[in-house]
């Protein structure tokens, strides 16, 4: 097994845990307009709609559990002799609950609130609204979900590009390859000379960028690949 591994995951790895994906049939973006619920402009226009969108998804966190794919990636990190960096686009906490440690949430986390006034971050498992005061600055109306919306800079980009520039193996699991900059990570890894593998239910939009592709449900193909 190559030494330095970078893994990118998307909504597909959590699908078998009961979490909705975005672009599959009946997915989140077929029920919501992303401009209204996943952009800063949408939040300014209708904060209650955005809070409701994320409150519904946050309340579902308690009822979901990691699946064999999450556990296989946590085992890989624990057992592999070299560094394993797990970059997730997901805002659920299934990787943490499966035991992954070296984990980067590039699109933020559903169970966190961010104060747009004082910049403080808070563990948040309940509902957010414009009436809820920030625990730090005590102002109401300034708390938002700590997630990266379209048009916003994803988190930890320097650390991600550093890992990509130095990896021997890049795996993409359960992502359609339709959102940037994550969709370009495979090219960064290839430029660094890494072997790149797509593990997905079906070919993604960036399928042709990968050296290898294994298609099937993550809960089967990921443990098979990792073991
Ligand atoms: C950025 C919020 C600059 C959190 C999300 C105009 C202005 C500004 C930017 C842009 C612009 N036009 C385009 C852009 C870039 C834009 C972008 O990419 N737009 C797209 C629509 C073209 N990107 C941005 O704005 C990003 N910021 O560009 O800043 C910059 C650039 C470079 C460097 C630094 C800064 C910010 C993007 C983040 C947006 N936030 N969500 C939330 O609500 O969750 S995006 C949303 O899509 C989610 O975060 C999700 O993670 C992400 C990707 O989706 P996937 O995870 O891939 O899920 P999807 O449903 O699409 O696919 C699931 C896959 O799983 C499928 O392939 C399916 O086959 C597979 N699958 C299903 N079941 C299974 C399975 N696989 C295995 N097993 C199964 N059982």
């Amino acid at each position: 097994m190559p030494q330095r591994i970078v893994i990118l995951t998307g909504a597909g790895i959590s699908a078998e845990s009961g979490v909705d994906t975005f672009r599959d049939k009946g997915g989140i973006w077929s029920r919501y307009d992303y401009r209204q619920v996943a952009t800063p402009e949408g939040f300014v226009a209708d904060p209650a709609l955005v809070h409701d969108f994320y409150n519904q998804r946050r309340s579902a966190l308690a009822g979901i559990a990691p699946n064999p794919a999450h556990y296989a990636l946590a085992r890989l990190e624990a057992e592999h002799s070299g560094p394993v960096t797990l970059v997730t686009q997901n805002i659920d906490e299934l990787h943490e609950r499966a035991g992954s440690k070296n984990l980067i949430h590039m699109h933020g986390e559903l169970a966190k609130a961010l104060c747009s006034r004082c910049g403080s971050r808070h563990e948040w498992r309940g509902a957010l609204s414009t009436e809820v005061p920030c625990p730090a600055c005590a102002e109401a109306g300034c708390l938002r979900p700590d997630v990266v919306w379209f048009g916003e800079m994803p988190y930890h980009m320097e650390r991600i590009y550093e890992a990509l520039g130095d990896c021997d193996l890049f795996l993409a699991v359960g992502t359609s390859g339709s959102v940037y900059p994550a969709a370009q990570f495979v090219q960064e890894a290839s430029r660094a000379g890494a072997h790149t593998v797509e593990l997905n239910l079906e070919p993604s939009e960036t399928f042709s960028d990968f050296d290898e592709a294994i298609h099937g449900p993550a809960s089967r193909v990921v443990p098979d690949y990792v073991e």
Side-chain angles (χ1 to χ4, degrees):
M1 178 70 92
Q3 257 319 81
R4 297 179 300 279
I5 304 173
V6 174
I7 305 163
L8 171 69
T9 61
I13 197 170
S14 298
E16 291 161 273
S17 297
V19 181
D20 285 343
T21 61
F22 291 88
R23 296 169 185 82
D24 287 320
K25 200 164 147 314
I28 293 176
W29 296 149
S30 70
R31 303 197 304 274
Y32 288 90
D33 176 345
Y34 79 90
R35 288 161 300 190
Q36 290 185 306
V37 294
T39 62
E41 297 77 13
F43 187 57
V44 168
D46 190 346
L49 174 71
V50 176
H51 279 312
D52 180 54
F53 174 62
Y54 286 99
N55 289 344
Q56 283 183 45
R57 292 167 68 192
R58 193 176 303 107
S59 63
L61 282 179
I64 58 173
N67 66 57
H70 296 101
Y71 286 114
L73 297 186
R75 261 199 313 282
L76 174 64
E77 178 188 341
E79 294 163 6
H80 183 58
S81 54
V84 177
T85 304
L86 176 52
V87 182
T88 187
Q89 299 171 92
N90 300 340
I91 61 176
D92 64 50
E93 49 194 0
L94 295 175
H95 284 305
E96 293 89 328
R97 288 175 48 197
S100 289
K101 302 270 181 286
N102 190 16
L103 172 62
I104 301 173
H105 275 282
M106 67 178 289
H107 289 168
E109 296 175 66
L110 199 46
K112 285 217 173 95
L114 169 66
C115 177
S116 37
R117 182 183 148 80
C118 69
S120 60
R121 280 188 163 78
H122 309 275
E123 279 296 301
W124 210 275
R125 294 183 184 283
L128 273 175
S129 78
T130 51
E131 277 76 57
V132 175
C134 164
C137 68
E139 290 293 316
C142 45
L143 284 179
R144 58 169 276 184
D146 186 14
V147 299
V148 175
W149 286 326
F150 287 98
E152 295 186 321
M153 176 79 85
Y155 292 158
H156 311 295
M157 290 309 291
E158 206 178 306
R159 193 173 144 207
I160 294 170
Y161 282 125
E162 211 175 289
L164 289 168
D166 184 32
C167 73
D168 311 298
L169 177 64
F170 176 77
L171 307 180
V173 181
T175 182
S176 61
S178 52
V179 171
Y180 293 82
Q184 277 168 334
F185 288 175
V186 54
Q187 291 167 18
E188 292 294 322
S190 293
R191 261 196 286 281
H195 180 64
T196 59
V197 187
E198 165 173 285
L199 299 162
N200 204 51
L201 191 61
E202 61 202 7
S204 73
E205 288 184 26
T206 51
F207 163 68
S208 55
D209 294 341
F210 288 85
D211 299 318
E212 193 185 349
I214 301 169
H215 294 136
S219 64
R220 175 169 59 76
V221 300
V222 177
D224 286 356
Y225 184 81
V226 163
E227 258 83 49

